[in-house]
Amino acid sequence: MTPILSLAGITKRYGGVEALKGVDLDVHQGEILAVCGDNGAGKSTLIRIVSGAHEASGGEMRLHGAPVVFRSPHDALTRGIATIYQDLALAPRLSIAENVFMGAELVRPLLLPFVKMLDRKGMRTAARGYLERLQVPVTDMRRPVERLSGGQRQAVAIARALHWNARLVIMDEPTAALGVKETGLVLDLIRRLKAEGRTVVLISHNMADVVALADRVAILKGGRKVIDRPLKGLDADTLAHMVMTGVDRT
Amino acid sequence: MRAVFETWGTALAGLAVVLFFVVAAPNFASPTNLLNIVKETSFLAILALGFTLALITAELDLSIADVASLAAVVTGFLIHGGHPPALAVAAGLGVGLLCGLVNGVSVTRLRVPALIATLGMAAMARGLGFMLTEGVSFVGRWPTGFTGLARASVWGIPALVLWMAGAAAIALVLVKATRTGARMTATGEAEEAARLSGIATARMKRIGLALSGLAAGLTAVLLTASLSSAAPNMAGDYFLYAIAAVLLGMTMVEPGRANIPGTLIAALTLKVLGNGLVLMGAAYYVQDIVLGFIIIASVAVSASVMRKAPLRL
Ligand SMILES: Nc1ncnc2c1ncn2[C@@H]1O[C@H](COP(=O)(O)OP(=O)(O)O)[C@@H](O)[C@H]1O
Ligand SMILES: [Mg+2]
């Protein structure tokens, strides 16, 4: 089957730093792919390219087999790729509804040409619907997201991806700042995305999370992909060792 | 209780100021004086509304007063030369809008920080104003079709008050009820999050700065019509007042965020304060001292409510 997303020979230079040195990576429909690697391995750079936040210096990206170039996050979003960044995803002082619909607001039939009037009530109702679908019980959609727990914030960011109807959801370290209970909530959210038939790329340092969720794991080291294999048969310790050494000795 | 205080505390302080002058300042509470204050507030309020719209996208527009002066001079020049009022008005608004657009392009395309870009614009506008007038003023018996813009009344309500109410209503609807307003707000609140959510943040900043320029143009037209004259630097006194109004406004209604109702309440409060001080015989320079203090104290109040710096410019 054609991969939903296929990267070939992706490179990225920041001035003199070569953050990615030719990465090939396929993402298949419906899977959870974990991307692991030490600090500085190039994980964030890779997802910034896939999400349209940065342009690659070289290489090719294909979506359902057709070459694509993303010049902005908006390009990637409209093509069904939503990315959830660890710290940058939300506007803390804006409400849940405002965050879920940021950049894709619901509008009412036009009052005047060019003037798009917000449908705030519709957005609150729909935001509640998305959170119910994710089984996160929050009632007041006017509440600023800075007053939510870390797990609830991830849910708001995921609700935004649902609203864009993203077929591929990329998450950068979604559990890094969370306690045990909140981490469990986020892992459940990711399982629900998969159950809805969506594809997930999960960047994580937490090997327990990876083992609990992933179907496949790709390991980056020094800007190259050194390992790409099914998760089957790996435990967290072996995985951690593989991330450290970049060698698959199973 | 605490929430009420955080939201309305400084507005209540403004009310206290009004009550103080009612008691203490001779003639303050006379209907003529009160009406004059409200009329006078309109110039300040409209100018400050523009600054508010720019600040909502987290950009500072330090050129508002000098752009308004330039627009006033252009308007006066045309009226004085016997051109139709409609043309003069369009030119005044156009000069303001154009300066705002240039600010927007400098900030978003040329990547000049707004502090620098608008300071440079202020200097250029001031220079152009003096160049056009050769340093003197345009004064004259101008057609009532023009002066009426500021001096007429509709159903007994002074035109200036209607302009102020109209501008505020449009700004409020824009910010609170339109998609563009929501995106401007998101841009100002969390630029990176907004960009990553697909919002054209640079465009939102250009809109904010362009509207700030347009508001300066409208202020200029009304000021020129009201005074029947135009002079370089005629809006200069409004610079500190407008900035103080917006920053004081940020301490109320939606604490920590530039907001339209806050700007209006603060503009009125500051005008009352200025008028009351004059009536009580305070020297002219006292106003500057008070305004400077209010500017700093307002930002400090916002910072304490937000528990972090409210402006990152
Ligand atoms: N904006 C940037 N400018 C310059 N260098 C960068 C930038 N972002 C990342 N890098 C460098 O690129 C390399 C990969 O970084 P990154 O993609 O953040 O890795 P990871 O997410 O795996 O920790 C590192 O050497 C990092 O210092
Ligand atoms: Mg990273």
Side-chain angles (χ1 to χ4, degrees):
Chain A
M1 207 171 78
T2 328
I4 176 169
L5 180 75
S6 176
L7 309 178
I10 295 289
T11 60
K12 177 69 187 180
R13 275 182 302 277
Y14 294 108
V17 183
E18 209 177 0
L20 295 175
K21 300 170 182 162
V23 172
D24 302 337
L25 185 67
D26 287 345
V27 184
H28 298 283
Q29 169 61 43
E31 72 175 346
I32 298 182
L33 168 66
V35 175
C36 304
D38 265 342
N39 268 331
K43 308 180 294 293
S44 296
T45 302
L46 190 68
I47 67 159
R48 288 210 156 87
I49 288 169
V50 174
S51 68
H54 287 348
E55 269 192 73
S57 310
E60 197 188 41
M61 190 152 53
R62 283 171 179 267
L63 198 61
H64 302 288
V68 282
V69 176
F70 296 147
R71 299 200 185 283
S72 69
H74 188 257
D75 284 356
L77 282 164
T78 53
R79 304 299 295 275
I81 301 179
T83 303
I84 297 167
Y85 292 91
Q86 189 184 328
D87 326 308
L88 302 172
L90 303 173
R93 297 197 299 155
L94 296 185
S95 71
I96 295 174
E98 285 166 326
N99 270 283
V100 169
F101 290 91
M102 189 184 288
E105 301 80 0
L106 300 184
V107 294
R108 276 183 302 198
L110 304 186
L111 198 69
L112 299 163
F114 306 115
V115 182
K116 304 246 187 324
M117 303 302 284
L118 293 175
D119 179 6
R120 285 193 182 271
K121 189 148 174 277
M123 287 192 277
R124 285 198 297 273
T125 308
R128 194 174 300 115
Y130 288 127
L131 290 182
E132 274 165 13
R133 215 161 113 192
L134 293 167
Q135 298 176 29
V136 177
V138 187
T139 46
D140 185 5
M141 295 299 119
R142 291 194 185 92
R143 202 189 302 171
V145 298
E146 67 188 354
R147 299 231 299 270
L148 301 178
S149 72
Q152 289 171 329
R153 282 181 216 187
Q154 287 291 338
V156 171
I158 292 171
R160 184 192 292 161
L162 291 181
H163 176 57
W164 279 96
N165 198 19
R167 303 231 290 280
L168 173 59
V169 179
I170 304 174
M171 306 177 77
D172 193 2
E173 304 276 0
T175 63
L178 305 182
V180 177
K181 184 156 164 268
E182 294 280 306
T183 297
L185 173 77
V186 172
L187 297 189
D188 283 343
L189 294 175
I190 297 172
R191 289 192 187 98
R192 270 175 216 126
L193 286 175
K194 177 174 165 147
E196 288 195 356
R198 293 172 212 276
T199 309
V200 177
V201 171
L202 171 70
I203 285 90
S204 185
H205 265 111
N206 186 326
M207 295 308 138
D209 292 357
V210 172
V211 169
L213 287 175
D215 301 304
R216 200 155 62 87
V217 55
I219 296 178
L220 297 185
K221 197 168 176 62
R224 292 181 208 282
K225 188 180 77 176
V226 290
I227 292 170
D228 185 341
R229 54 161 291 166
L231 181 84
K232 203 174 280 171
L234 291 183
D235 58 31
D237 290 339
T238 317
L239 199 54
H241 190 74
M242 283 166 55
V243 168
M244 217 164 64
T245 60
V247 182
D248 186 351
R249 292 191 309 179
T250 54
Chain B
M1 184 61 213
R2 174 155 178 208
V4 170
F5 196 74
E6 282 192 354
T7 310
W8 296 104
T10 50
L12 293 173
L15 194 62
V17 167
V18 176
L19 293 176
F20 170 79
F21 286 124
V22 167
V23 176
N27 299 325
F28 176 85
S30 78
T32 340
N33 188 52
L34 291 180
L35 187 64
N36 264 331
I37 292 177
V38 177
K39 275 166 42 177
E40 275 284 310
T41 300
S42 63
F43 308 117
L44 168 61
I46 294 170
L47 196 63
L49 284 172
F51 190 94
T52 306
L53 294 174
L55 196 57
I56 280 175
T57 70
E59 296 299 342
L60 205 57
D61 185 355
L62 298 183
S63 69
I64 45 170
D66 289 299
V67 166
S69 294
L70 174 63
V73 160
V74 170
T75 307
F77 177 80
L78 291 171
I79 288 287
H80 206 65
H83 294 280
L87 176 71
V89 170
L93 297 177
V95 166
L97 181 62
L98 185 70
C99 292
L101 287 170
V102 171
N103 282 335
V105 169
S106 302
V107 170
T108 61
R109 293 254 157 87
L110 310 181
R111 279 173 253 154
V112 182
L115 193 78
I116 306 294
T118 60
L119 198 64
M121 173 58 73
M124 290 192 293
R126 187 161 53 229
L128 282 169
F130 277 98
M131 190 175 96
L132 261 177
T133 58
E134 292 165 336
V136 298
S137 312
F138 300 115
V139 193
R141 217 172 235 297
W142 291 347
T144 49
F146 176 68
T147 55
L149 287 173
R151 294 184 187 171
S153 294
V154 182
W155 303 309
I157 306 171
L160 284 173
V161 175
L162 294 175
W163 282 111
M164 170 166 65
I170 289 172
L172 192 62
V173 168
L174 169 70
V175 173
K176 287 294 166 198
T178 71
R179 191 175 75 177
T180 301
R183 293 181 174 185
M184 289 169 70
T185 305
T187 299
E189 281 292 324
E191 183 172 353
E192 194 60 11
R195 195 178 74 85
L196 293 171
S197 311
I199 292 176
T201 53
R203 180 146 97 233
M204 295 307 127
K205 287 170 180 284
R206 284 197 293 276
I207 292 174
L209 286 164
L211 290 174
S212 180
L214 184 63
L218 179 58
T219 308
V221 168
L222 295 176
L223 206 52
T224 310
S226 166
L227 300 176
S228 258
S229 70
N233 203 27
M234 78 187 281
D237 284 349
Y238 287 98
F239 178 67
L240 279 182
Y241 261 104
I243 290 177
V246 177
L247 296 178
L248 178 59
M250 275 179 78
T251 64
M252 59 183 87
V253 190
E254 295 176 50
R257 189 185 302 166
N259 68 85
I260 306 296
T263 295
L264 278 184
I265 295 171
L268 192 59
T269 304
L270 292 178
K271 270 289 164 196
V272 164
L273 190 61
N275 178 272
L277 285 171
V278 169
L279 289 182
M280 288 183 67
Y284 189 69
Y285 50 74
V286 173
Q287 289 189 38
D288 278 355
I289 298 173
V290 170
L291 285 177
F293 174 78
I294 287 175
I295 285 174
I296 296 172
S298 297
V299 176
V301 168
S302 297
S304 82
V305 172
M306 294 170 67
R307 288 164 206 97
K308 65 169 190 173
L311 304 171
R312 40 189 168 70
L313 301 164

